[in-house]
Amino acid sequence: MTDHPETASQTAGPYVHIGCTPNFAGIHGVYPEDLGARMITGDATGERITLIGQIFDGTGTPLRDAMIEAWQADANGLYAGQEGADPHFSGFGRCPCDAEDGSFRFETIKPGTVAWPSGGTQAPHVNLWIVARGINLGLHTRAYFADAPQNDSDPVLGRIEHSVRAKTLLAQAEGSGVYRFDIHLQGPDETIFFDV
Amino acid sequence: MTEIPKGGYAARLPQNHPVALYPPYRTSVKRSPQAAPLSFPTTISEETGPVFGHDLLGPKDADLLHNFGPQDQSAIGPRIVVHGRVQDQFGRPVVGALLEVWQANAGGRYRHKKEGYLAPLDPNFGGCGRVITGPDGSYEFRTVLPGPYPWPNGPNDWRPSHIHFSIFGAGFAQRLITQMYFEGDPLIWRCPIVGSIQDKAAVERLIAPLDMERTLPMDARAYRFDITLRGRRQTMFENRMEGL
């Protein structure tokens, strides 16, 4: 079998918005709406939640030029494209961080549990992917929900060698239906990133 | 508990990618993780991903020469066709991959509110486009050759001419953003962003050669840029070691 090397990543740079969220960048009239602007596309089943946060660099300064993408299962634990998945939920969100305070926001559904390959289930989670100027290869992480009882038996959380770091993957409830998930690229509170 | 290897996506090889911390690219210093990443085999969370149909695309989405300005106007600059094939690392075509591209205009100026370079905007050039690969994994779009531009890194750093690509394969694990460079550009090997890739061969795969065969006479030159995404291993023996 021929093995072709994967194309190298490069930083998304400071102007990622031009290509990925042109309407946000002020380029109107090319695409009717930015891709991933809405995750809930109809009368979706499940608990509506808002996932918010900021992405901080190694000095504690929020990134104001990052882009974050979310990919998650629906309320029944099915991903869009799987048989029986909720047709009113895309599962995909894309958010350019705010140019002033760097905040991101996803209006979404609380995901259900999903299967683990060798049996068992994974606790509810939102897969996140972060790109920005200064990030050479997009960073994968997951937001779990701090108040979910399934976290105790989650196979990914169970792999974390330094358990003190597990909390970096837990989104904290902040008022009704709002969860905060702050991401630290570097330093003492550094978020766990995956090389899946 | 014994872990049973699964099909899943083949692991990313670090030598094919830039290092996270590359001090000559100064912004990477405070934006690179220091802890080792956490490894686990891909699950359905990584093996699925958003899939976009052709109904997403407008008629001019793959024509950056004409998708921003008025109907009868065209962007200024050397006219080019960029085309290629998206395949996975096992050589299989990636069908239905969404490619989003963005770039500066012919003078090296981006249409972005945070951009202050003195080269002017082109009123007929927005700088974004998108295309979905066909049944053989191929794609093609038209644009102008972007100009190099200076950036605040070292005191006299210039980016080579480049086009940014964002690629969605079939799974979130394949998600990739990269940059395409142009054959023969002397700025490529001076660029600290390119230099974050330590393997020369991996850099060379980002350099698109001039393709005279695909060039449109009296119209536009062509460049060929092939893209390779991670591949899924065979999943036939889901519960057995591969090769058993």
Side-chain angles (χ1 to χ4, degrees):
Chain A
M1 185 156 37
T2 319
D3 196 21
H4 304 266
E6 187 187 7
T7 297
S9 171
Q10 290 271 261
T11 179
Y15 308 128
V16 60
H17 316 105
I18 294 173
C20 295
T21 54
N23 289 290
F24 174 82
I27 301 173
H28 300 288
V30 184
Y31 307 153
E33 102 175 351
D34 289 335
L35 199 68
R38 286 176 295 133
M39 300 178 73
I40 297 169
T41 55
D43 188 17
T45 304
E47 180 189 345
R48 279 168 168 63
I49 58 165
T50 303
L51 183 66
I52 60 169
Q54 289 165 289
I55 304 167
F56 298 94
D57 71 13
T59 72
T61 307
L63 273 62
R64 298 176 302 162
D65 53 10
M67 182 178 82
I68 180 166
E69 291 181 351
W71 174 242
Q72 63 160 96
D74 67 15
N76 294 316
L78 296 172
Y79 284 93
Q82 283 190 280
E83 198 179 330
D86 189 335
H88 304 298
F89 183 64
S90 77
F92 173 70
R94 174 185 265 179
C95 186
C97 291
D98 185 87
E100 300 302 322
D101 66 7
S103 59
F104 64 82
R105 180 184 193 92
F106 294 106
E107 301 293 342
T108 186
I109 293 286
K110 197 160 189 184
T113 57
V114 303
W116 179 253
S118 49
T121 55
Q122 308 182 58
H125 62 274
V126 178
N127 307 288
L128 297 169
W129 191 68
I130 300 137
V131 293
R133 176 173 66 102
I135 297 177
N136 288 326
L137 175 64
L139 296 167
H140 285 277
T141 188
R142 288 179 172 189
Y144 286 85
F145 298 89
D147 52 12
Q150 301 96 327
N151 291 342
D152 294 338
S153 56
D154 181 80
V156 172
L157 294 175
R159 279 180 176 247
I160 298 168
E161 181 188 352
H162 303 102
S163 54
V164 65
R165 298 189 65 211
K167 66 176 188 298
T168 70
L169 299 183
L170 302 179
Q172 302 290 336
E174 193 181 272
S176 158
V178 178
Y179 287 88
R180 170 170 287 276
F181 187 69
D182 285 333
I183 295 163
H184 298 266
L185 298 180
Q186 192 187 81
D189 300 321
E190 187 172 312
T191 299
I192 295 178
F193 299 104
F194 307 148
D195 63 346
V196 292
Chain B
M1 178 176 134
T2 310
E3 285 293 340
I4 302 164
K6 289 299 183 299
Y9 279 97
R12 251 183 181 146
L13 298 176
Q15 64 266 32
N16 289 335
H17 288 288
V19 291
L21 173 62
Y22 187 64
Y25 177 23
R26 295 180 181 181
T27 315
S28 76
V29 173
K30 290 296 179 187
R31 293 186 172 194
S32 46
Q34 293 167 323
L38 180 70
S39 296
F40 56 92
T42 56
T43 75
I44 195 157
S45 297
E46 294 78 31
E47 292 163 14
T48 56
V51 174
F52 304 98
H54 288 266
D55 56 349
L56 174 74
L57 305 180
K60 292 184 183 172
D61 281 9
D63 184 1
L64 283 72
L65 289 172
H66 301 107
N67 71 2
F68 185 74
Q71 197 77 24
D72 56 344
Q73 309 265 313
S74 182
I76 292 175
R79 297 157 66 87
I80 59 170
V81 170
V82 178
H83 75 104
R85 182 174 176 267
V86 183
Q87 62 176 3
D88 73 13
Q89 63 191 95
F90 303 111
R92 295 178 284 229
V94 182
V95 181
L98 173 68
L99 276 58
E100 298 165 290
V101 297
W102 67 101
Q103 63 170 86
N105 69 21
R109 174 69 187 268
Y110 281 98
R111 188 174 286 278
H112 193 285
K113 55 195 166 207
K114 283 191 177 174
E115 158 74 287
Y117 183 32
L118 48 77
L121 288 168
D122 177 344
N124 297 325
F125 189 74
C128 63
R130 57 189 178 185
V131 59
I132 291 177
T133 59
D136 58 352
S138 66
Y139 74 90
E140 176 176 325
F141 62 91
R142 299 187 66 169
T143 186
V144 293
L145 185 74
Y149 64 89
W151 57 302
N153 188 63
N156 189 21
D157 278 336
W158 291 74
R159 294 303 323 283
S161 293
H162 64 277
I163 299 176
H164 297 265
F165 278 69
S166 165
I167 306 132
F168 288 89
F172 211 51
Q174 290 177 306
R175 200 73 186 82
L176 184 71
I177 282 185
T178 189
Q179 301 181 27
M180 172 197 133
Y181 304 100
F182 292 84
E183 179 184 3
D185 186 340
L187 290 171
I188 294 172
W189 303 100
R190 291 179 168 91
C191 175
I193 288 178
V194 175
S196 66
I197 304 168
Q198 312 282 284
D199 178 19
K200 188 163 182 277
V203 172
E204 283 168 345
R205 290 191 290 269
L206 297 182
I207 303 174
L210 177 67
D211 182 357
M212 287 307 289
E213 284 190 13
R214 197 65 172 263
T215 284
L216 306 170
M218 306 301 287
D219 182 346
R221 288 176 301 152
Y223 283 87
R224 182 176 179 104
F225 184 51
D226 293 327
I227 296 164
T228 304
L229 302 180
R230 296 170 66 184
R232 285 195 71 162
R233 299 193 198 91
Q234 299 294 336
T235 55
M236 205 191 263
F237 303 106
E238 189 75 10
N239 292 310
R240 291 159 62 179
M241 298 285 280
E242 272 187 86
L244 293 183

